[in-house]
Amino acid sequence: MNGVPRTYDLNKSVLTFGTVNITGYAAGEAATFELEGVDWAMNKGSHGEVSFVAQHNPTGKATVRVMKGNPVNAALAALASTSMLTGASFPLFFVDILGGDQVIAPFCKIEKIPKLSTGDGDYPVEWVFLMAQPEITHGTAIPV
């Protein structure tokens, strides 16, 4: 085995949106963070010349799944309502203390209030955040 194995523990990570500390994740993939679009586009000329053009699209999405019975859902719904009434955006911050992954997005909004479902037991609720100017760092890598 090469190196030290990575350790994952959602209890050793911090995710906040505005003033809400998000906890009570659903099992499995609890959160995903991705940049929109691509970093580079390629232009091809009629005589075979090729050029690469940087694409500057400083946006992304974060998707977070928490359990239905979690009071975080009410707090996030309140921030979504505040944003609708005032136009305010809120910062989103994530850090995995053990692995070093982090996301910093200074201007975010909740895309929409999640659908309301009922059923037996607790189940995941999915929140999608629109991120402006996010920086995503994988471990100790350079932010992208």
Side-chain angles (χ1 to χ4, degrees), residues 58-119:
T59 62
K61 283 190 177 183
T63 304
V64 179
R65 286 161 287 286
V66 297
M67 296 308 291
K68 168 73 173 149
N70 189 335
V72 162
N73 289 302
L76 291 174
L79 284 181
S81 294
T82 299
S83 181
M84 286 297 294
L85 291 171
T86 66
S89 60
F90 301 97
L92 183 138
F93 174 74
F94 170 79
V95 64
D96 174 356
I97 296 166
L98 295 176
D101 298 339
Q102 71 177 20
V103 177
I104 300 170
F107 308 104
C108 302
K109 291 186 178 282
I110 293 172
E111 185 176 58
K112 66 179 182 175
I113 299 291
K115 69 179 180 179
L116 178 63
S117 299
T118 61

